[in-house]
């Protein structure tokens, strides 16, 4: 049987990933586990906080926690215009697509994290020899009762042990991939919030815009 933990040379991958499990030469270290080369692999749980974009008529609230009322010096901006209807529509479109991505991500995350202990065949079993005694009493194959003879007891397949070793190396990489996807979706959410914040800032500026007061001595012409 092929050892699935051994590297396989592929003509399609000229630079395969080769982890360095050499570790440190510390004789006092009795831990034989490979060093942590992936860092944090905790995948975030992601949700979409908004069903639709926040009204541009609301006062701007800096999503980064800064003071939205503060101003800095600089040259006056040139003339420009903002189509708030189009901006709001585009934000809502991004929210709709992001909800779909978040739903797919959460489904994948649940499936991966819920099957890590079995997906590679770690628990694969051979049926027992001879007639089995069934727990449900209905007959059939695949069940074994503690009251049965040992020869009827299912046993792990030859694949189970190498599968466990493979899972020990592969599961952290799967978790790291999930973390990367989740982190990307979080950045998408931050981007949408910043775009919405920009619309609120432009809207607040528009509401506070006014013509300057006329000269104190009146208008002459």
């Amino acid at each position: 049987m092929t050892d699935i933990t051994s590297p396989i040379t592929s003509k399609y991958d000229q630079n395969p990933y080769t982890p360095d499990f050499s570790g440190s030469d510390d004789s006092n270290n009795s831990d034989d586990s490979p060093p942590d080369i992936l860092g944090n692999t905790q995948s975030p749980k992601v949700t979409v906080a908004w069903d639709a974009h926040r009204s541009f008529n609301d006062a701007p609230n800096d999503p980064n926690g800064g003071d939205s009322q503060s101003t800095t010096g600089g040259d006056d901006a040139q003339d420009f215009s903002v189509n708030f209807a189009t901006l709001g529509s585009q934000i809502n479109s991004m929210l709709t697509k992001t909800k779909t991505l978040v739903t797919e991500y959460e489904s994948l995350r649940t499936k991966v994290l819920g099957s890590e202990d079995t997906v590679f065949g770690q628990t694969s079993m051979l049926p027992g020899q001879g007639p089995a005694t069934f727990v449900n009493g209905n007959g059939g194959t695949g069940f074994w009762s503690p009251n049965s003879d040992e020869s009827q007891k299912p046993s792990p397949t030859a694949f189970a042990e190498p599968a466990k070793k493979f899972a020990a190396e592969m599961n952290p990489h799967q978790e790291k991939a999930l973390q990367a996807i989740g982190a990307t979706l979080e950045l998408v959410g931050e981007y949408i919030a910043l775009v919405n914040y920009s619309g609120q800032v432009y809207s607040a500026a528009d509401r506070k815009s006014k013509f300057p007061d006329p000269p104190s001595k009146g208008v002459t012409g």
Side-chain angles (χ1 to χ4, degrees):
M1 182 174 181
T2 304
D3 182 3
I4 62 174
T5 62
S6 300
I8 298 176
T9 302
S10 170
K11 65 179 181 179
Y12 301 104
D13 189 358
Q14 301 301 319
N15 297 291
Y17 170 70
T18 306
D20 181 10
F21 290 154
S22 59
S24 59
D25 188 17
D26 186 355
S27 59
N28 295 324
N29 184 9
S30 59
D31 185 5
D32 295 330
S33 61
D36 183 7
I37 60 174
L38 296 177
N40 178 27
T41 57
Q42 185 68 38
S43 58
K45 182 174 179 59
V46 180
T47 59
V48 179
W50 296 349
D51 291 327
H53 78 89
R54 292 297 185 259
S55 172
F56 297 140
N57 291 323
D58 294 340
N61 183 14
D62 188 352
N64 293 321
D67 182 6
S68 61
Q69 303 299 323
S70 62
T71 58
T72 57
D75 296 334
D76 290 339
Q78 299 299 315
D79 293 342
F80 69 95
S81 63
V82 178
N83 188 320
F84 293 106
T86 300
L87 181 60
S89 176
Q90 292 297 324
I91 294 175
N92 286 339
S93 177
M94 288 190 290
L95 285 171
T96 299
K97 294 177 181 178
T98 302
K99 289 177 184 178
T100 300
L101 293 173
V102 167
T103 299
E104 293 295 330
Y105 163 76
E106 283 296 324
S107 176
L108 175 64
R109 179 173 177 267
T110 299
K111 185 174 183 178
V112 170
L113 298 182
S115 63
E116 286 184 319
D117 295 335
T118 60
V119 68
F120 301 115
Q122 302 98 301
T123 59
S124 57
M125 303 289 287
L126 289 172
Q129 303 299 317
T133 301
F134 291 86
V135 176
N136 59 14
N138 295 325
T141 58
F143 294 89
W144 175 79
S145 168
N147 296 325
S148 301
D149 184 270
E150 278 296 312
S151 65
Q152 300 172 3
K153 182 179 180 179
S155 59
T157 65
F159 186 76
E161 192 58 35
K164 292 178 182 178
K165 296 179 180 179
F166 180 76
E169 296 184 11
M170 183 56 65
N171 283 339
H173 289 279
Q174 292 192 141
E175 294 168 3
K176 193 66 177 181
L178 283 174
Q179 184 195 47
I181 298 171
T184 300
L185 290 175
E186 288 180 334
L187 286 176
V188 171
E190 292 177 9
Y191 172 77
I192 294 174
L194 286 171
V195 173
N196 197 88
Y197 170 70
S198 299
Q200 290 177 325
V201 170
Y202 290 142
S203 179
D206 186 60
R207 291 193 300 271
K208 295 179 180 179
S209 297
K210 64 177 183 178
F211 287 106
D213 294 333
S216 58
K217 294 182 179 180
V219 179
T220 58

